[in-house]
């Protein structure tokens, strides 16, 4: 039996578990099923910044988004917000009511004007049974658990620049629109919201976003949408991960310090010369 555990051969994973052909196929089957289930139901209009439900509510509904954008938040006892997920048209949310825990653990807030349908949890179960979707739904939930485990592991083991890069890649792969060389993200996410997803401060988000722009990993198009070069960003994250690992192994202490990356130019100035707040929106 080994006395210690080595993680040297563990893969560096930046891709969401949910970004998988089988997961995509099931999500489409679920959308089609819920559209049939709710076709005669009254649509609910949610204004921007309004809550669908809040933490502590006794709510036993599963929600299906027809259009718009919903974010799920949890609050700490000190009032700090953690952005758990962002959902858009065709997605479901609120499925934790199926656990029977009772009160909601999170708050669901509209990021823009949103139209949705609500389905009582007993009716939701019945629909899954009629359309033989139970097995697929269990796998879908298992994938969600795996993604959340990865998020927790990243918060403990990965620095905030890498977490930001991985968050942008996940948004690109799950919410983006691809062209030949890049992916366009059309979600309206502020730097504050991005900091809540990554688990760091807004100034650090601004610093890292400027660095990514200087390196050509991201850019803003004429429509003011954020464009991600997935290959370049993935390669960059892999390089700094390997560099950080080698740097840790060369030190006697256990506190990781990632060496700074500099521009490949005639000057030796750091990539980011100053830290400035950008506009509140990610693509400004």
């Amino acid at each position: 039996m080994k006395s210690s555990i080595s993680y040297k051969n563990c893969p560096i994973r930046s891709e969401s578990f949910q970004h998988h052909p089988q997961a995509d196929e099931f999500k489409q089957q679920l959308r089609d099923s819920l559209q049939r289930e709710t076709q005669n139901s009254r649509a609910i209009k949610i204004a921007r910044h309004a809550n669908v439900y809040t933490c502590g509510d006794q709510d036993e509904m599963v929600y299906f988004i027809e259009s718009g954008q919903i974010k799920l938040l949890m609050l700490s006892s000190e009032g700090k917000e953690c952005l758990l997920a962002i959902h858009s048209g065709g997605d479901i949310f609120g499925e934790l009511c199926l656990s029977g825990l009772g009160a909601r653990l999170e708050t669901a807030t509209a990021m823009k004007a949103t139209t949705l349908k609500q389905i009582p949890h007993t009716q939701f179960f019945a629909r899954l049974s009629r359309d033989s979707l139970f097995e697929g739904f269990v796998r879908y939930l298992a994938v969600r658990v795996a993604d959340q485990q990865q998020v927790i592991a990243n918060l403990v083991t990965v620095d905030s620049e890498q977490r930001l890069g991985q968050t942008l890649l996940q948004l690109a792969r799950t919410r983006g629109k691809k062209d030949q060389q890049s992916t366009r993200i059309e979600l309206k996410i502020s730097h504050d919201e991005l900091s809540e997803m990554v688990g760091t401060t807004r100034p650090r988000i601004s610093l890292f976003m400027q660095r990514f722009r200087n390196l050509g990993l991201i850019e803003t198009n004429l429509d003011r949408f954020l464009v991600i070069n997935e290959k370049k960003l993935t390669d960059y994250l892999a390089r700094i991960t390997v560099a950080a690992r080698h740097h840790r192994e060369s030190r006697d202490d256990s506190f990781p310090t990632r060496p700074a990356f500099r521009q490949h130019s005639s000057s030796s100035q750091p990539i980011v010369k100053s830290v400035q707040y950008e506009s509140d929106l990610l693509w400004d």
Side-chain angles (χ1 to χ4, degrees), residues 4 56 71 100 130 136 144 180 184 260-261:
S4 62
K71 63 180 178 180
R130 283 198 301 273
R144 292 278 298 274
Q180 290 182 346
R184 183 175 71 256
F261 277 78

Side-chain angles (χ1 to χ4, degrees), residues 246-270:
H246 289 168
H247 189 67
R248 286 195 298 270
E249 292 171 354
S250 68
R251 292 171 61 91
D252 293 330
D253 60 78
S254 60
F255 294 94
T257 303
R258 184 175 54 75
F261 277 78
R262 296 178 178 272
Q263 288 176 315
H264 298 288
S265 65
S266 57
S267 72
S268 60
Q269 295 299 314

